[in-house]
Amino acid sequence: MKPTVVGIVLAAGKGTRMKSKTPKVLHPLLGQPMLAYALQAMQEATGARPVVVVGHGAEAVQTAFADQADFALQDPPLGTGHAVQAARQAVPEGVRWVLVSNGDMPLLTADTLRSLLDAQREHAGPITMLTVEVDDPRGFGRVVRFPDGRVQAIVEEADATEEQKRIRELNVGAYCFDAAWLWDALPKLPLSPKGEYYLTDLVGLAVSEGRSVQALRLEDPTEAIGVNTRVHLAEAAAALQRRINRAWMTAGVTLIDPDRTYIEPTVRLGQDTVIWPDCYLRGETVIGEDCEIGPNTIVEDTRIGNRCRIVASVLEHAVVEDDVDIGPFGHLRKGAHLAKGVHMGNFGEVKNSYLGPGVKMGHFSYIGDATIAEDVNIGAGTITCNYDGERKHPTKIGKGAFIGSDTMLVAPLEIGEGARTGAGAVVTKNVPPYSLAVGVPARVIRKLEKK
Ligand code: UD1
Ligand code: MG
C-alpha cells in the first residue's frame, strides 16, 4: 500500500547558539541524541520512516540514524522553507499529507503529531499548524490573527513589530500540509530580510490566496520546548526527566526524590521497586520488582532480578539475579553475572565472571575471568591475578570452597570443591578438592573432611 502521509524532520541548521563542535541535533538528552526523540515521534505518528533534512554535520547525523530514517541533503541551508523543498525528492509520489517538525523539539509527542494529521484530514485549507500560549516567547515566531480570530500569518521575532512581539501565541514548529498545495507553494516563498526562505511564510501565502489556516493549540506547553542553546538543552532534559519519572511513579515505582533520579527512556522497572536519590539508570537496563537501588548508583545496560539491594555502586553490562545485595561501593563490569542470593559487600569488583548462588564476597576483592560455584566464601582482600602482562587467564573455584583473607589466586588456576586457602596464601598451583593450602607460594598441608 502506498503511504498517504510522510513525516519530514528538519535538522540541517547549524545550531550556532549551541557553540559546539557537535551538530545540535546530536547533543544527548537522557542518553539519546536529541533527534532520536523527534524521529521516534514522527515514526509513530505516520507509521513510516521519516525523511530527515541534513546539512550542517550531515555525515555525523546520517551515520547516527542510518537505519531509522531516509535523508535529504540541504546544502547550503537557506531556511526552513528551503529545507522542506530539499526533502521533496525523498518523498514518495502520491503522498497526500506532509507532517513537518523541527529536529530540535525532543518533547513533542507522537500523539500531538497524530492530532495535527487528524485535524488536517478534516480541514478544507492547506495547513494545520501547532501553537502554544506561554508567557516567555523564547524567540519563537508569533501567530498573528485577524480581528475575527482567523489565523493571518506567522511573524518571526526578528521581523516583528513591538506590538507583534507582545503576542503570546507562538508557532511551535510543527505543521501538517496538504502535499499538492505544499509542493506548489514552496517555490513561491519570498526571501526573508535575513536572506532565508521561511517555512512560516507559507501561512501568509495561503491566507493571501484566500485559503484558511487552522491552528491547533498545545495543551501541555512543555512539548513545545525547542532547543537553541545549552540552557534550553538543560530545560528540555529536566522536562523529559519529569515526564519519564512521573510515568514510573504512576506505574508503581517509588522515587524518593524524582528531581535527583535520572532514568533513560530505554530502561524498564518493576513494581514496588524503590529508587533512592542520585541514581542514573541507563541504556538497556531492566530492574525487577521489590528492589532498592541507591542512593548514588549508576546502572548501565544491566539486568537486575527481584528483591535486590544495591547501594552506592556502579553496574555496567552485567546480570544480577534475584535476592542479591551489592555495596556500598561495588563495581560490576562487563560480563559480571551474580546468581541468586549473592552477597557482595564493600569495595568489590567483578569482571567477566560468574558467581554462583549464595557466593559471599564481603570486602575488598577483585574477581576477573572467574567461574565460581555455589556457596563459595571469598575472604576479604582476595584477588584473582588474572593478567600476566600479556594475556588474561581463567580461575575456577569449586562448590563450597573457602578462600582465606588476602589470598592471591594466580591464574590459570583451579580450586577444588570444598578446598580452603589460608590467609595470605599466594596460590600458583591447582588445589585439589577438600584440601587446605597455605603459604607463599601455597602448598597443600592436609586433607579436609567432607561435610
Ligand atoms: C523556527 C520557526 C519559528 C518557531 C521555532 C520553534 C522558521 C522560520 N521559524 O525558528 O517560527 O517558533 O522554529 O522552535 O521556521 N533548519 C534546517 N534548514 C535550515 C534552517 C533550519 O533544516 O536552513 C532546521 C534546524 O536544524 C532546526 C529547525 O529547522 O531543527 C528550526 O530551525 P531554527 O534555526 O532552530 O529555527 P528557529 O529560529 O528556532
Ligand atoms: Mg529552533
Side-chain angles (χ1 to χ4, degrees), residues 109-442:
T109 62
D111 279 347
T112 297
L113 288 170
R114 226 176 271 129
S115 49
L116 265 181
L117 174 62
D118 291 343
Q120 178 58 28
R121 280 182 207 268
E122 305 292 315
H123 180 46
I127 308 175
T128 302
M129 61 187 272
L130 193 63
T131 71
V132 67
E133 256 192 87
V134 281
D135 289 332
D136 172 13
R138 298 168 68 100
F140 276 34
R142 309 298 204 272
V143 179
V144 182
R145 288 179 182 264
F146 288 114
D148 65 3
R150 283 178 302 125
V151 173
Q152 181 178 7
I154 299 172
V155 181
E156 291 305 305
E157 182 168 271
D159 313 321
T161 63
E162 284 310 311
E163 196 186 339
Q164 286 168 336
K165 277 187 192 157
R166 283 194 289 274
I167 296 173
R168 284 296 169 262
E169 188 184 5
L170 313 175
N171 171 35
V172 172
Y175 325 80
C176 188
F177 297 97
D178 176 285
W181 182 87
L182 176 68
W183 306 134
D184 188 51
L186 279 171
K188 301 183 203 158
L189 277 177
L191 204 57
S192 78
K194 235 175 98 185
E196 290 188 0
Y197 298 96
Y198 290 162
L199 186 63
T200 46
D201 281 343
L202 287 178
V203 172
L205 197 77
V207 169
S208 72
E209 290 173 354
R211 308 292 304 273
S212 102
V213 172
Q214 176 175 238
L216 198 73
R217 209 136 336 156
L218 252 188
E219 278 160 36
D220 172 10
T222 59
E223 281 197 44
I225 297 178
V227 177
N228 294 319
T229 68
R230 297 200 200 218
V231 174
H232 299 156
L233 184 69
E235 285 169 11
L240 194 66
Q241 178 190 357
R242 275 194 291 277
R243 185 189 283 175
I244 291 171
N245 289 354
R246 181 175 291 271
W248 283 120
M249 290 187 282
T250 308
V253 172
T254 295
L255 305 183
I256 301 294
D257 185 350
D259 288 342
R260 288 165 60 195
T261 305
Y262 305 85
I263 305 174
E264 294 185 355
T266 39
V267 170
R268 294 290 163 263
L269 303 173
Q271 196 183 32
D272 288 320
T273 278
V274 177
I275 314 287
W276 289 82
D278 298 325
C279 285
Y280 298 75
L281 310 182
R282 315 196 51 199
E284 303 298 320
T285 289
V286 180
I287 298 178
E289 298 187 358
D290 303 304
C291 292
E292 289 215 33
I293 310 290
N296 298 317
T297 292
I298 302 173
V299 185
E300 187 172 318
D301 295 324
T302 290
R303 247 174 40 229
I304 298 177
N306 301 321
R307 300 175 301 279
C308 292
R309 173 93 183 92
I310 295 164
V311 182
S313 293
V314 177
L315 281 58
E316 309 162 272
H317 304 269
V319 175
V320 174
E321 296 184 21
D322 296 344
D323 303 300
V324 167
D325 77 289
I326 300 177
F329 317 117
H331 189 186
L332 295 189
R333 290 166 53 207
K334 194 167 183 182
H337 181 159
L338 275 48
K340 185 172 161 67
V342 166
H343 162 69
M344 180 175 159
N346 42 191
F347 303 104
E349 174 179 341
V350 176
K351 183 216 78 173
N352 188 35
S353 295
Y354 174 77
L355 274 59
V359 166
K360 293 196 170 43
M361 168 178 160
H363 338 262
F364 311 103
S365 289
Y366 169 61
I367 299 296
D369 305 308
T371 308
I372 301 180
E374 63 199 82
D375 297 326
V376 166
N377 188 87
I378 297 172
T382 294
I383 305 281
T384 51
C385 310
N386 60 330
Y387 185 49
D388 61 11
E390 279 172 24
R391 282 185 303 148
K392 303 279 172 70
H393 302 283
T395 300
K396 249 179 115 171
I397 304 180
K399 186 174 160 186
F402 183 97
I403 309 301
S405 295
D406 240 333
T407 295
M408 300 297 120
L409 300 163
V410 183
L413 191 68
E414 269 191 49
I415 306 287
E417 178 178 328
R420 294 177 78 103
T421 66
V426 177
V427 187
T428 56
K429 289 199 193 91
N430 293 349
V431 179
Y434 300 99
S435 311
L436 170 64
V438 301
V440 181

Side-chain angles (χ1 to χ4, degrees), residues 63-104:
T63 308
F65 297 100
D67 44 4
Q68 291 158 58
D70 296 325
F71 298 91
L73 186 67
Q74 183 200 16
D75 187 24
L78 296 176
T80 46
H82 182 250
V84 174
Q85 205 162 4
R88 185 180 179 177
Q89 44 91 11
V91 173
E93 279 301 314
V95 155
R96 287 199 56 193
W97 292 284
V98 178
L99 270 169
V100 177
S101 73
N102 291 353
D104 61 359

